[in-house]
Amino acid sequence: AGTTSSDLKDVACTGASACWAVGEFTGTSPSRRLVLRWNGTTWSPVVTALPSGAGESTANSVACGSPTSCVIAGGAVVSGALRRMALRWNGTTWTAVNVPVPTGAVTSELDGVSCLGATACTSVGNFRITDDHALVVRTT
């Protein structure tokens, strides 16, 4: 309710009736990540918890190593600064994953994720100290 726009950024499937699509939506509140699940017939929105202290957020990428192991990579605004965000699907729920950021980074975001198996996912993104820098994080 109240959504004025949405932007899907990535999709991952583990079968004909098991897909995840991610992105963001805007409305009367700040931008929020959008997570949709395909069951073979319809797409349904899925509520995922925000990382501790987060306000607005986005999901930039999703990858699945198995039907019970997926990772969402993105960013969330915490205390006024953009921070990296990763969520892991265990077949039942999405939970926040702690993703390290280099010392001194004032902003950071994960832009993509790839999984080679249920316990082998790698995310890429960026962080800013004074200039942009690349960030590669393994989220297993």
Side-chain angles (χ1 to χ4, degrees), residues 32-129:
R32 300 280 184 181
R33 76 181 158 281
L34 177 60
V35 179
L36 300 173
R37 186 175 192 178
W38 174 254
N39 66 7
T41 306
T42 60
W43 287 99
S44 301
V46 176
V47 176
T48 58
L50 284 169
S52 180
E56 64 183 282
S57 63
T58 187
N60 296 326
S61 185
V62 60
C64 298
S66 76
T68 59
S69 180
C70 300
V71 173
I72 294 174
V77 176
V78 179
S79 301
L82 181 63
R83 298 288 183 224
R84 75 281 178 249
M85 179 208 64
L87 302 171
R88 176 172 288 287
W89 173 252
N90 65 7
T92 305
T93 59
W94 288 98
T95 56
V97 176
N98 185 27
V99 181
V101 174
T103 302
V106 293
T107 65
S108 60
E109 185 174 21
L110 296 175
D111 299 313
V113 62
S114 178
C115 297
L116 294 176
T119 60
C121 296
T122 301
S123 299
V124 296
N126 64 78
F127 67 94
R128 180 178 291 256
I129 294 174

Side-chain angles (χ1 to χ4, degrees), residues 17-31:
S17 61
C19 296
W20 294 97
V22 299
E24 66 184 355
F25 70 92
T26 57
T28 57
S29 62
S31 295

